[in-house]
Each structure stands twice: as C-alpha cells, then as structure tokens.
Amino acid sequence: MGAGRVAALQRMRRALGALNWANLIAGMALGVIGYWLLSLAVENSSDRSSSILQLGLSVLLGGVVGWVIPQLINDIRTRWSELRPIRELLGSTCSNRDDTLIYMGSLYPKDSLSFLKAVPGTLDGRMEVTPKTSMPWVVVENDARALGYLMSVLASAGKTENLSVIRDDLGLEEVEVNMICIGSIKNNHMTAAVNSSFSGLPLRFTWLEEELAITDGKILWHTEEECDYALLVKVVNEYSPTHCVWICAGLSHFGTASAAYFLFSRWRELHAKFGGSNFGLLIKGRKNNFKYVDIVAEKRAESSISN
C-alpha cells in the first residue's frame, strides 16, 4: 500500500473518530421513526415507488440533525461559559444600556490649536499641524496600546454600544457614567480627580517629593530602572454608585501598557480571585517588554460607599 493511501486512511480514521456517533445514530433512529410515522399518515396512498428514497432522506436528515443540534448547543454553552465570568468581572462597565467613557490623557492642552508632526520619509523633519474642525489630540504610544487591549476586553464581554473615548480634560463634568481612566495623575485629569476625591480606593497615586509613587497607605512603590509599577483598580463610582470606575495607569507609560495587557490576558485569573467584587492590584512590568507582568500586591475594595 502506497504512503499516500496510508496517509489518506489515517485522515479518514481521525475524521470518523471525531464524529459524535451516539448523536449521529440517535438522529438516524429519529429519522427512521419519522419516516414510519409519515408512512402511516399516507398508507392509503397507492404511490410507493419513492419509499426507499424517502427512507434514505429520513435517515440522512435525521443524522444531520443529530449532529448539528448538539454541536450548536455545545457552541452556545461554550460561548456562555466564557461570557458570564468576564461580564461579572467587568460589572456595569460592559452593559450596553449604560454609558462607558474611556478617558485618555492628551499631550497637548485643550487650548492648543496646533502641534508639530514628523514628516514621513525624513529623519528629523517636522511640520506644524493645525486641525481645521477640532483640537489636536495626541497620546502616548503605550496609552494607545492600553486602549487597544481594553477595547478588546470590552468587546469580548459584548460591549458594543454607548462606548466613547474622550479627552481627559473635556469630560470632567460627565461623571454619572462608567469610567475607565488610562494614564496616571501626571497626564490624566480624570485619574487625578478620582485619585484625590474617592475614599474607597484600595491603592492610589501619591507624590514622593517630585517623584510619582503608588501607595496602599503604608508602603510606597516607585519606578525602578528596569521595571515599572501600575494600578489596575475597579471601584464603585462615588459620583454615581450604580456605575463603576476602572483605573489602568502606570507610574510611566510602560506600566500603563502592562496593566492593560494583564487585564486582557489574565482576566480569568482575576475573576477566580474576585468574581464581581471591587479590587485593587499593583502590577509590576518590565520596561523592555510590557507583557512580562506580575501581581505585587492585591486588595479588595469596598463594594459600596460608606456613609
């Protein structure tokens, strides 16, 4: 027997082995029963020439149904088993009925009307750009990476409506919403507002003389030569208690990317630890590769606002 024929037989064996024979046989049996019931209904008919064809079609259709329906049910069950935990973790943030605003810090203040942009095809060329219909909005590269990971997480949870990305210095009055703050108090006005006014933060940013640090009230963490620290926090929106606030922010932009990537890649781990509860994580990531991340400290946050 040739090698090609042997390989073809092996592929056929694997394909046959992958079939759910119990469902297939059950479907065929149902097809035969259906054919029998149909024949009872038309037993007074004199035309029996197509009986074999009808039986064959019944067996075939029964087998197909016996395979397709269980497969469809299994796909739905698998999808739901993925969807339920991530939606529980994200809480109201992923609800399509509620507004969710993602606040990103801009490198240019809102009264800036122009900025310098690199000229494509040159090494050091710069040109002044003046948008004609809106103000310039330039973000740090790793903040943009963080946005991509966070949008992917929201999409996985089914968040497809009432989702906006806005400048941090333009949405300060829109507080009765779910909020996601990307970037630290150095470059995000909304992060700074939440950090200074919310009483229920388990971890927060603080200043160590002129250096930014993260604290749990007892310990201070500040950026290191090769690593950066970041906050990944979920708390009640103290401006609107039916909504959530997320902070995804590093001491530098490296940490911001690490925190977002951690949520994107290890949300199942977070759900196993916290379920739908509020929490605060201190994330440590490498500056030369933000995907190398780990948890340094973790704390549960209050599930509601204390009076």
Side-chain angles (χ1 to χ4, degrees):
M1 187 180 293
R5 192 173 177 184
V6 171
L9 288 173
Q10 289 176 342
R11 286 195 297 270
M12 183 180 296
R13 278 198 206 97
R14 285 195 296 269
L16 292 175
L19 289 175
N20 191 327
W21 286 99
N23 290 337
L24 200 60
I25 293 171
M28 289 179 179
L30 290 173
V32 172
I33 293 172
Y35 168 75
W36 175 68
L37 293 174
L38 179 64
S39 65
L40 288 179
V42 297
E43 62 182 353
N44 294 326
S45 173
S46 59
D47 184 9
R48 299 288 183 170
S49 59
S50 60
S51 296
I52 296 177
L53 177 61
Q54 290 177 3
L55 176 62
L57 288 175
S58 298
V59 172
L60 177 62
L61 291 176
V64 170
V65 170
W67 173 73
V68 170
I69 291 180
Q71 185 67 35
L72 181 61
I73 292 173
N74 184 61
D75 289 344
I76 293 173
R77 185 186 297 116
T78 301
R79 173 64 177 162
W80 176 246
S81 67
E82 287 283 324
L83 193 62
R84 183 189 61 79
I86 194 170
R87 289 183 66 86
E88 183 180 11
L89 176 69
L90 295 179
S92 62
T93 312
C94 64
S95 171
N96 283 321
R97 296 189 303 270
D98 295 331
D99 286 323
T100 295
L101 300 185
I102 301 177
Y103 294 86
M104 295 192 70
S106 174
L107 295 182
Y108 288 84
K110 59 184 178 181
D111 55 352
S112 296
L113 298 179
S114 63
F115 63 97
L116 293 178
K117 180 181 183 297
V119 178
T122 67
L123 291 177
D124 301 314
R126 295 288 185 272
M127 62 184 295
E128 186 172 291
V129 176
T130 304
K132 297 184 181 303
T133 58
S134 62
M135 64 188 63
W137 185 6
V138 183
V139 298
V140 177
E141 179 184 4
N142 278 329
D143 285 5
R145 281 199 177 103
L147 174 64
Y149 287 123
L150 294 174
M151 292 290 281
S152 179
V153 172
L154 290 169
S156 297
K159 179 66 173 176
T160 57
E161 302 174 23
N162 296 319
L163 177 64
S164 301
V165 181
I166 64 174
R167 284 177 61 121
D168 63 306
D169 52 6
L170 292 183
L172 293 174
E173 71 285 352
E174 305 214 27
V175 294
E176 294 185 358
V177 293
N178 296 300
M179 298 190 290
I180 301 175
C181 303
I182 299 178
S184 74
I185 62 175
K186 286 192 300 185
N187 71 325
N188 190 311
H189 284 73
M190 186 54 77
T191 305
V194 170
N195 190 76
S196 62
S197 63
F198 277 29
S199 61
L201 289 178
L203 296 158
R204 68 179 67 238
F205 289 103
T206 188
W207 289 101
L208 183 62
E209 295 180 351
E210 296 184 357
E211 184 181 7
L212 190 63
I214 296 172
T215 183
D216 63 354
K218 299 177 181 178
I219 304 173
L220 287 171
W221 292 271
H222 55 84
T223 190
E224 300 172 0
E225 183 177 351
E226 297 182 354
C227 298
D228 193 31
Y229 293 94
L231 290 183
L232 182 61
V233 173
K234 173 195 174 188
V235 292
V236 172
N237 184 345
E238 297 184 16
Y239 303 132
S240 177
T242 58
H243 296 99
C244 293
V245 171
W246 287 78
I247 298 176
C248 179
L251 294 173
S252 73
H253 59 95
F254 300 108
T256 300
S258 290
Y261 180 76
F262 185 92
L263 178 61
F264 166 77
S265 61
R266 295 168 64 175
W267 65 264
R268 293 175 184 81
E269 179 182 334
L270 292 181
H271 179 263
K273 288 184 177 183
F274 301 107
S277 301
N278 298 320
F279 62 87
L281 295 181
L282 179 69
I283 305 293
K284 185 177 183 179
R286 295 185 189 176
K287 290 183 177 179
N288 62 356
N289 190 337
F290 65 87
K291 293 183 179 181
Y292 284 90
V293 293
D294 208 354
I295 299 175
V296 176
E298 59 185 61
K299 294 184 70 174
R300 287 186 177 270
E302 295 295 331
S303 59
S304 60
I305 303 171
S306 57
N307 294 322

